[in-house]
Amino acid sequence: MRHLMSPLDFSVEELDHLLDLAHDIELHPEKYAHACEGKKLATIFYEPSTRTRLSFEAAMLNLGGNVLGFSSAASSSASKGESVSDTIRMISCFADICAMRHPKEGAPMVASAVSSIPVINAGDGGHQHPSQTLADLLTIRSLKGRLDHFTIGLCGDLKFGRTVHSLVRALARYEGVKFIFISPEELKMPSYIKEEVLEANGIPYREVERLEDVMSDLDVLYMTRVQKERFFNEEDYVRLKDFYILNNQKMELAKDDMIVMHPLPRVNEISVEVDKDPRAAYFRQVQYGVYVRMALILTLLEVKVC
Amino acid sequence: MRHLMSPLDFSVEELDHLLDLAHDIELHPEKYAHACEGKKLATIFYEPSTRTRLSFEAAMLNLGGNVLGFSSAASSSASKGESVSDTIRMISCFADICAMRHPKEGAPMVASAVSSIPVINAGDGGHQHPSQTLADLLTIRSLKGRLDHFTIGLCGDLKFGRTVHSLVRALARYEGVKFIFISPEELKMPSYIKEEVLEANGIPYREVERLEDVMSDLDVLYMTRVQKERFFNEEDYVRLKDFYILNNQKMELAKDDMIVMHPLPRVNEISVEVDKDPRAAYFRQVQYGVYVRMALILTLLEVKVC
Amino acid sequence: MRHLMSPLDFSVEELDHLLDLAHDIELHPEKYAHACEGKKLATIFYEPSTRTRLSFEAAMLNLGGNVLGFSSAASSSASKGESVSDTIRMISCFADICAMRHPKEGAPMVASAVSSIPVINAGDGGHQHPSQTLADLLTIRSLKGRLDHFTIGLCGDLKFGRTVHSLVRALARYEGVKFIFISPEELKMPSYIKEEVLEANGIPYREVERLEDVMSDLDVLYMTRVQKERFFNEEDYVRLKDFYILNNQKMELAKDDMIVMHPLPRVNEISVEVDKDPRAAYFRQVQYGVYVRMALILTLLEVKVC
């Protein structure tokens, strides 16, 4: 039995199979409409995350399966002091597969060690959120046609953003991917990622402070939010914040076939005027998230569809 | 694609079709048991409303469809500052139709403007609650056999009651409906409804302060709650409150075939002794609410059942 | 139509049928996978109880039925002052059967008096929790092969524990069951149970303070939590608490075929080292809880499977 804790749990070859399956699901949803009939997904969310929870639930319902669970710790037995290990043993009696969200790093790993059903890490603190990374990879592959030989700009909070760390690690396994990190000094990509993941493997990257300066080089722009409270002082925030807000003016500098991604929810880091631009891919990214979670559920449950 | 924002979105003819469909569903539920197989309803409730949410969910399940969503803002991404527009774009990737409840007037309208799936307004502040009005109309038509030529008394808080405003607007489109408004001075039907909806169309209405005085004239009595905090002073409340509590004594004054309706939940404005009276229709109203929501889902999804 | 308020609602013969059905469900789940197709269970939980709610939901989904409801009073219309009687009348329009959890004793009984669908008491305050007792009985019968002629030790808080009171009443109806009550002075089994249930029927029992003293006599050990705040003073708690923590050392004193049960969640009253002991039955008890709830739903809905 197999769990999903990190996006690197799958080899590049396994990932290819998974993304192929997700693509086939997009093309032929009816083939998969009864694939999980009689099976149940538990969504065990110790903190709320509507988007991730509903994406998993939609995925399981699209496969003909059913869903149960809880959406916040308040409505769970965690409030009675039960350990994650005991909870997953209980959930194993109620469901065939489980997606777990937890504010503490490593909680899903602890669960997977005693679980008798596959556990998917649906986000553990600032640590990992592998199904988001799978959705990002499927979006790039579907809209750009490949996962190698392109330039990706990651923009905003690169220090604390779990999503961008995972994506860098995942893309570093493909050939010819160039990284441009666009962030204020305070929110730069951590050294351990630059050194261990990129430099150690001879993967090129650049670091810049202004989005405009690199816009024309990008095949993919991955936006994230810059939160005011992450800055050292008010002046820096005021001076820098506009560099990290994407609008139509900045989009004019970009290639015609660039795509803009965002893990959502966005607040104001992408102006709503960009939504109408055909290069805006962040809502399609949500749809790809459903397809890739369908593929993930099928893979972990070892359900084959002919 | 069509949304439902207001009960007047449907023409009288369209409403006839919808109520005919609801009636056929009541008679032949098995015909519709698989009509929405493989389809999903999202219940997006930014404030709790158990009755409305469960009625929509029961309706979709009765049609063989599935349900996902959230039941309060606390467990939604709204708490992360996401706009209603962004949320509905996300929900469009997860479901085929959406019922949205929101404390702010107009929020479902904003959502419908960018949604790629039909949006049903399931209550927006004090503004509209169209599926309740549809349930009211189906109840009257089913139990009285018609939507024209009868006298309806609306009793209680007529000033702030969104339900009664919508019902007056909806019934004003049928011939021969006479209105009697029964309320304390402080809670009278607003002038803009009396003038624009009734007087402008030559529709007769009366206003009285005591329920007993008009009980014998009514074919339909629509009760609503009178909340103490809506009164100017304690004396008025004490003097008037009993006029607006329906009990067996007042029921003795009514016609044998009158029906009593209430949008529920009731607190004490209808004495529990009235529940056994065959004219009490407020619990059957809940059942009609399920039938009419089934008809509504089928209509907006353009699902035909032969 | 029949409800389930107390575990004693079923006669010993009826219980035999129910447990036989649960056993057949365990052996042949596929026979029952569509037994409740088109039917809906409402889980009406006025206070959270993840384990009980999910067990009922898993049971109904395993039978091919669907589920709706609420998981805490905050998200229910109870906050608008609606009575339990009115709520169950509403729920009767939405579902075919209902599992109700309520902090007030007797609330499910009030509901059952006006309900037009079967109501299952899923826990009412410190009063009853019959489906837990049914799960306990099925666990004993499945793992020990019988419900008569064995010695059961109940350990921990025997004063306030609703679960153990119900289990004693239920087992007292079978022949040859001997009870050993293991608890501190402060938390002894109440006199009315010892006198009315046991002594009045000539059923033998013993009371001891230390688990070690009786370990070797037991066929079944039923553990419950001892909460610090239930003790009169700190010294008593410190002196006694270790007597009621089950660990491998104490397990060495027990028979090879003894089973350890616990209603869960546990905090520290069973050391995690015991989990690997084949005599630890508390997680299997959760699984039996699903089977017995499936049998209960089928029985109350009068669904026959051939």
Side-chain angles (χ1 to χ4, degrees):
Chain A
M1 194 185 50
R2 194 163 181 174
H3 307 284
L4 180 68
M5 292 297 118
S6 148
L8 304 185
D9 286 0
F10 289 115
S11 69
V12 170
E13 290 68 33
E14 288 172 328
L15 210 49
D16 270 352
H17 283 298
L18 186 86
L19 300 180
D20 286 348
L21 179 55
H23 184 60
D24 196 59
I25 287 168
E26 181 186 2
L27 296 179
H28 310 292
E30 69 292 346
K31 267 174 64 182
Y32 299 89
H34 302 281
C36 287
E37 224 155 45
K39 298 202 183 297
K40 284 162 283 145
L41 165 74
T43 49
I44 301 303
F45 276 54
Y46 289 88
E47 64 179 7
S49 176
T50 310
R51 186 180 321 274
T52 304
R53 180 174 60 84
L54 294 185
S55 184
F56 272 111
E57 296 187 5
M60 190 54 161
L61 295 174
N62 286 349
L63 294 166
N66 276 302
V67 170
L68 44 71
F70 52 86
S71 59
S72 71
S75 54
S76 86
S77 48
S79 55
K80 293 177 189 164
E82 186 173 69
S83 71
V84 165
S85 297
D86 278 16
T87 299
I88 193 70
R89 282 184 181 108
M90 163 183 89
I91 296 297
S92 300
C93 300
F94 299 153
D96 302 285
I97 186 167
C98 168
M100 177 183 284
R101 176 93 165 204
H102 202 287
K104 278 198 196 143
E105 288 185 21
M109 182 70 88
V110 168
S112 69
V114 298
S115 177
S116 57
I117 60 172
V119 176
I120 300 168
N121 178 357
D124 57 336
H127 191 221
Q128 298 281 3
H129 188 8
S131 65
Q132 175 70 51
T133 306
L134 297 180
D136 295 344
L137 295 175
L138 180 62
T139 305
I140 296 171
R141 204 183 80 156
S142 297
L143 298 180
K144 301 301 298 179
R146 64 189 187 281
L147 282 172
D148 47 38
H149 298 94
F150 65 91
T151 299
I152 181 168
L154 298 121
C155 175
D157 177 356
L158 306 185
K159 183 171 183 186
F160 299 101
R162 137 184 96 179
T163 312
V164 290
H165 301 174
S166 289
L167 188 56
V168 170
R169 286 179 191 278
L171 287 174
R173 303 198 294 181
Y174 295 89
E175 267 186 40
V177 179
K178 292 178 198 158
F179 294 90
I180 303 181
F181 301 136
I182 308 143
S183 77
E185 186 64 27
E186 284 96 332
L187 299 175
K188 280 171 82 171
M189 185 63 69
S191 303
Y192 68 90
I193 290 192
K194 289 183 287 192
E195 290 162 16
E196 290 165 32
V197 181
L198 302 178
E199 292 167 25
N201 296 294
I203 298 168
Y205 71 90
R206 290 164 57 196
E207 296 186 283
V208 300
E209 218 182 21
R210 290 164 45 104
L211 182 52
E212 273 116 326
D213 295 348
V214 296
M215 201 72 185
S216 61
D217 298 329
L218 305 177
D219 298 305
V220 176
L221 169 58
Y222 199 100
M223 296 293 297
T224 68
R225 200 182 333 162
V226 173
Q227 290 173 280
K228 192 175 174 177
E229 52 278 24
R230 293 271 157 91
F231 280 82
F232 296 147
N233 57 61
E234 178 85 16
E235 298 98 88
D236 271 12
Y237 177 73
V238 171
R239 182 174 60 85
L240 290 166
K241 69 180 166 70
D242 286 351
F243 295 171
Y244 309 103
I245 293 177
L246 186 64
N247 54 20
N248 279 346
Q249 202 186 337
K250 292 197 187 81
M251 286 298 283
E252 280 179 20
L253 305 170
K255 291 182 189 172
D256 285 348
D257 64 349
M258 188 196 71
I259 60 168
V260 182
M261 299 173 66
H262 190 295
L264 303 181
R266 68 155 161 199
V267 178
N268 62 357
E269 58 277 16
I270 301 178
S271 168
V272 293
E273 66 187 21
V274 179
D275 296 357
K276 292 204 188 77
D277 193 305
R279 294 170 291 183
Y282 31 94
F283 294 121
R284 276 173 287 168
Q285 211 174 336
V286 178
Q287 187 64 65
Y288 286 120
V290 177
Y291 298 139
V292 92
R293 287 181 179 97
M294 292 171 72
L296 180 61
I297 291 168
L298 289 172
T299 302
L300 295 182
L301 286 176
E302 297 177 32
V303 173
K304 303 268 179 249
V305 176
C306 308
Chain B
M1 194 185 50
R2 193 163 181 175
H3 308 283
L4 179 69
M5 291 297 119
S6 149
L8 304 186
D9 287 0
F10 289 115
S11 70
V12 169
E13 289 70 31
E14 287 172 327
L15 210 50
D16 270 351
H17 283 297
L18 186 87
L19 300 180
D20 286 346
L21 179 54
H23 184 60
D24 196 59
I25 288 168
E26 181 186 3
L27 296 180
H28 310 291
E30 69 292 348
K31 266 174 63 181
Y32 299 89
H34 302 280
C36 287
E37 224 155 46
K39 298 201 185 296
K40 285 163 282 146
L41 166 74
T43 49
I44 300 303
F45 276 55
Y46 289 88
E47 63 179 9
S49 175
T50 309
R51 185 180 321 273
T52 304
R53 180 174 62 83
L54 295 185
S55 184
F56 272 111
E57 295 187 4
M60 190 53 163
L61 294 173
N62 286 348
L63 294 166
N66 276 301
V67 170
L68 44 71
F70 53 85
S71 59
S72 71
S75 55
S76 86
S77 48
S79 55
K80 294 179 188 164
E82 186 173 68
S83 71
V84 165
S85 298
D86 277 16
T87 299
I88 193 69
R89 282 185 181 108
M90 163 183 88
I91 296 296
S92 299
C93 299
F94 300 152
D96 302 284
I97 186 167
C98 168
M100 177 183 284
R101 177 91 163 205
H102 203 287
K104 278 198 196 144
E105 288 186 20
M109 183 68 89
V110 168
S112 69
V114 299
S115 176
S116 57
I117 59 172
V119 176
I120 299 168
N121 178 357
D124 57 337
H127 190 221
Q128 299 281 2
H129 188 7
S131 65
Q132 175 69 52
T133 306
L134 298 180
D136 295 344
L137 295 176
L138 180 63
T139 305
I140 297 172
R141 205 185 78 157
S142 297
L143 297 179
K144 301 301 297 179
R146 64 188 187 282
L147 282 171
D148 47 38
H149 298 94
F150 66 89
T151 299
I152 181 168
L154 298 121
C155 175
D157 176 357
L158 306 185
K159 185 171 180 185
F160 298 101
R162 141 184 92 177
T163 311
V164 290
H165 301 172
S166 288
L167 187 56
V168 170
R169 286 178 190 277
L171 286 174
R173 303 196 297 182
Y174 295 89
E175 266 186 42
V177 180
K178 291 180 198 158
F179 295 89
I180 303 181
F181 301 136
I182 309 142
S183 76
E185 186 65 26
E186 284 97 332
L187 298 175
K188 280 171 82 171
M189 184 64 69
S191 303
Y192 68 88
I193 291 191
K194 289 184 286 193
E195 288 162 16
E196 291 165 32
V197 181
L198 301 179
E199 292 166 24
N201 296 294
I203 298 167
Y205 71 89
R206 291 165 56 196
E207 296 186 283
V208 301
E209 219 182 22
R210 290 165 44 105
L211 182 52
E212 273 116 325
D213 295 348
V214 296
M215 202 72 184
S216 63
D217 299 329
L218 304 178
D219 298 304
V220 176
L221 170 59
Y222 199 100
M223 295 294 296
T224 68
R225 201 181 333 161
V226 173
Q227 290 173 278
K228 192 176 176 178
E229 52 277 24
R230 292 270 159 89
F231 280 81
F232 297 146
N233 57 62
E234 178 84 16
E235 298 98 89
D236 270 12
Y237 177 73
V238 171
R239 183 174 60 87
L240 289 166
K241 70 180 167 67
D242 286 351
F243 294 172
Y244 308 105
I245 293 177
L246 186 64
N247 55 21
N248 279 347
Q249 201 185 340
K250 290 196 187 82
M251 287 298 283
E252 280 178 21
L253 305 171
K255 291 182 187 172
D256 286 347
D257 64 349
M258 188 196 72
I259 60 169
V260 182
M261 298 173 67
H262 190 296
L264 304 180
R266 69 157 160 195
V267 179
N268 62 357
E269 58 276 16
I270 301 178
S271 169
V272 293
E273 67 186 21
V274 179
D275 296 357
K276 294 206 187 77
D277 193 304
R279 293 169 293 184
Y282 30 95
F283 293 122
R284 278 173 285 168
Q285 212 174 334
V286 178
Q287 187 64 67
Y288 287 120
V290 177
Y291 297 139
V292 92
R293 286 180 179 97
M294 292 171 73
L296 179 61
I297 291 169
L298 289 172
T299 302
L300 295 183
L301 286 176
E302 297 177 32
V303 174
K304 303 267 180 250
V305 175
C306 305
Chain C
M1 194 185 50
R2 192 161 184 178
H3 308 283
L4 180 68
M5 292 298 117
S6 149
L8 304 185
D9 286 0
F10 290 114
S11 69
V12 170
E13 290 69 32
E14 287 172 328
L15 211 49
D16 270 351
H17 284 296
L18 187 85
L19 299 180
D20 286 345
L21 179 55
H23 184 61
D24 196 59
I25 288 168
E26 182 186 2
L27 296 179
H28 311 290
E30 69 292 346
K31 267 175 62 181
Y32 300 89
H34 303 280
C36 286
E37 224 155 45
K39 298 204 185 294
K40 283 163 284 145
L41 165 74
T43 48
I44 301 303
F45 276 55
Y46 289 89
E47 63 180 8
S49 176
T50 310
R51 185 178 322 272
T52 305
R53 180 174 61 83
L54 294 185
S55 184
F56 273 112
E57 296 187 5
M60 191 53 162
L61 295 174
N62 286 348
L63 294 166
N66 276 301
V67 170
L68 45 70
F70 52 86
S71 59
S72 72
S75 55
S76 85
S77 49
S79 55
K80 294 178 188 165
E82 186 173 68
S83 71
V84 165
S85 298
D86 278 16
T87 299
I88 193 69
R89 283 185 181 108
M90 164 183 87
I91 296 297
S92 299
C93 300
F94 299 152
D96 302 284
I97 186 167
C98 168
M100 177 183 284
R101 176 91 164 206
H102 203 286
K104 278 199 196 142
E105 287 185 22
M109 183 68 89
V110 168
S112 70
V114 299
S115 177
S116 56
I117 60 172
V119 176
I120 300 168
N121 178 358
D124 58 336
H127 190 222
Q128 299 280 3
H129 188 9
S131 65
Q132 174 69 51
T133 306
L134 298 180
D136 295 344
L137 295 175
L138 180 62
T139 305
I140 297 171
R141 205 184 77 157
S142 297
L143 298 180
K144 301 302 297 177
R146 64 190 186 279
L147 282 171
D148 46 40
H149 297 95
F150 65 92
T151 299
I152 181 168
L154 298 120
C155 176
D157 177 357
L158 306 185
K159 184 171 182 185
F160 299 101
R162 139 184 93 178
T163 311
V164 290
H165 301 174
S166 288
L167 186 57
V168 170
R169 288 179 189 278
L171 287 175
R173 303 197 295 182
Y174 295 88
E175 266 185 40
V177 181
K178 292 179 197 156
F179 295 89
I180 303 181
F181 301 135
I182 308 141
S183 76
E185 186 64 28
E186 284 97 331
L187 299 175
K188 281 171 80 171
M189 184 64 69
S191 304
Y192 68 88
I193 290 191
K194 289 184 286 194
E195 290 163 14
E196 290 166 32
V197 181
L198 301 178
E199 292 166 24
N201 296 293
I203 298 168
Y205 71 91
R206 290 165 56 197
E207 296 185 283
V208 301
E209 218 181 23
R210 289 164 46 103
L211 182 51
E212 274 115 326
D213 296 347
V214 295
M215 201 72 185
S216 61
D217 299 329
L218 304 178
D219 300 302
V220 176
L221 170 58
Y222 200 100
M223 297 293 295
T224 67
R225 200 181 333 161
V226 173
Q227 292 173 278
K228 191 176 177 177
E229 52 277 26
R230 293 270 157 88
F231 280 81
F232 296 146
N233 57 62
E234 178 83 15
E235 299 97 88
D236 271 12
Y237 176 73
V238 171
R239 183 175 59 85
L240 290 166
K241 70 181 166 69
D242 286 351
F243 295 172
Y244 309 105
I245 293 177
L246 186 65
N247 54 20
N248 279 347
Q249 202 186 337
K250 293 197 187 80
M251 286 298 283
E252 280 178 21
L253 306 170
K255 292 183 188 171
D256 285 347
D257 64 349
M258 187 196 72
I259 60 168
V260 182
M261 298 173 67
H262 190 296
L264 304 183
R266 68 156 160 197
V267 179
N268 61 357
E269 59 276 16
I270 301 178
S271 169
V272 292
E273 67 186 21
V274 180
D275 296 357
K276 293 206 188 76
D277 194 304
R279 294 169 292 183
Y282 29 95
F283 294 121
R284 277 173 286 167
Q285 212 174 334
V286 179
Q287 187 64 66
Y288 287 120
V290 177
Y291 298 140
V292 92
R293 286 180 179 98
M294 290 171 72
L296 180 60
I297 291 168
L298 289 172
T299 302
L300 295 183
L301 286 176
E302 296 176 34
V303 173
K304 303 266 180 252
V305 175
C306 307

